[in-house]
Amino acid sequence: MTAPAANTPAQYVQEKAAGSGSSFYYAFMFLPPPRRAAITAFYAFCREVDDVVDEVHDPQVARTKLAWWRNEVQQAYAGQPHHPVMQALMPVAPDYGIEARHLQAVIEGCEMDLTQNRFLDFTALSQYCHLVAGIVGEVACNIFGRTQNNTIAYAHKLGLAMQLTNIIRDVGEDARRGRIYLPINELQQFDVKAHELLKRDAPWGYSDRFQALMRFQAERAHKVYEEAFALLPEADRQAQKPGLMMANIYRTLLQEIEKGGFQVLHQRTSLTPLRKLWIAARTHVRGR
């Protein structure tokens, strides 16, 4: 498996991170160079693995590619990285506690998208979120700088909140890919049928039942954000500002979706790059 040409592994991961347009990138800008290099390489790894699931339409081919990545992680930690992402990540991994188990968990979470496209309840969904977002949060908090064990719990909770925001934003897009992350028992609770998530036009898609379901999802996400903030030890607050930047960007996105009446079946709400940068800079100054 080959990667597109880049002059150096560092340039490759930089281009991968910047090219994604993710909110995460704006938080990275405020880190000192060594930590920025580490989080950029780790984020590029997450993007590579996630892109396998999102961009490869043949499930068997996607499984083969994920198996390649599993082996690449093993090879990299044995001293033989081949992909530029792993070549960029390996020199910094020991400094920030980035272990093979973290990377394998991210791969496992992404592979769930190939084998499971529905979740019975919120407990089942949370287990998925733990792999694709909680583990990412754990690695990120270690890179940002962590002195307290409770910071790991904060990072996992914050990862869950941001993943719930992603799920709300992408309901329509995910449904068209055959994936429904809204728990089955909650769809039943609000009497929303799976096929209705494919209806992009009012009034069918945007029924009162759908609006009530989405308000329920948003209220829970806000609650999880608050629970995460309450877990962050004061001793680590300064170091964890990049995570707070990401949280504020994501929560602002959630608020925009709410203000717009949860119009998530036919469009993907996003913030402009300038607004993301402004939120990150404001958080950097305020520290919260």
Side-chain angles (χ1 to χ4, degrees), residues 93-226:
D95 295 334
Y96 301 107
I98 306 171
E99 302 175 16
R101 66 179 177 88
H102 294 130
L103 307 188
Q104 298 290 12
V106 173
I107 296 171
E108 180 185 347
C110 288
E111 189 166 40
M112 285 183 68
D113 282 326
L114 301 176
T115 59
Q116 181 174 356
N117 53 23
R118 301 292 297 273
F119 296 88
L120 179 61
D121 52 27
F122 184 65
T123 298
L125 178 63
S126 297
Q127 292 169 349
Y128 166 78
C129 293
H130 165 75
L131 294 172
V132 299
I135 294 293
V136 174
E138 178 180 336
V139 173
C141 84
N142 287 336
I143 293 173
F144 297 155
R146 176 183 65 81
T147 64
Q148 307 294 313
N149 286 335
N150 278 356
T151 303
I152 296 178
Y154 146 80
H156 276 270
K157 186 72 74 169
L158 186 59
L160 173 60
M162 292 194 290
Q163 188 64 25
L164 294 178
T165 303
N166 280 338
I167 289 169
I168 291 169
R169 178 194 63 193
D170 296 338
V171 167
E173 184 177 310
D174 286 334
R176 289 187 288 279
R177 287 177 169 168
R179 303 177 198 156
I180 298 176
Y181 295 100
L182 303 177
I184 292 173
N185 67 335
E186 294 172 8
L187 288 168
Q188 294 171 340
Q189 177 184 341
F190 290 92
D191 193 27
V192 174
K193 307 297 188 293
H195 69 83
E196 293 181 83
L197 304 182
L198 294 170
K199 295 180 179 178
R200 307 187 195 188
D201 300 322
W204 304 112
Y206 298 108
S207 63
D208 290 341
R209 293 173 288 106
F210 176 78
Q211 296 286 336
L213 169 66
M214 298 312 293
R215 282 195 298 273
F216 177 82
Q217 303 298 319
E219 287 167 5
R220 177 167 56 205
H222 281 300
K223 182 171 180 281
V224 176
Y225 277 112
E226 292 301 323

Side-chain angles (χ1 to χ4, degrees), residues 18-31:
S20 71
S22 169
S23 303
F24 289 74
Y25 182 69
Y26 296 88
F28 301 168
M29 297 169 63
F30 293 87
L31 285 166

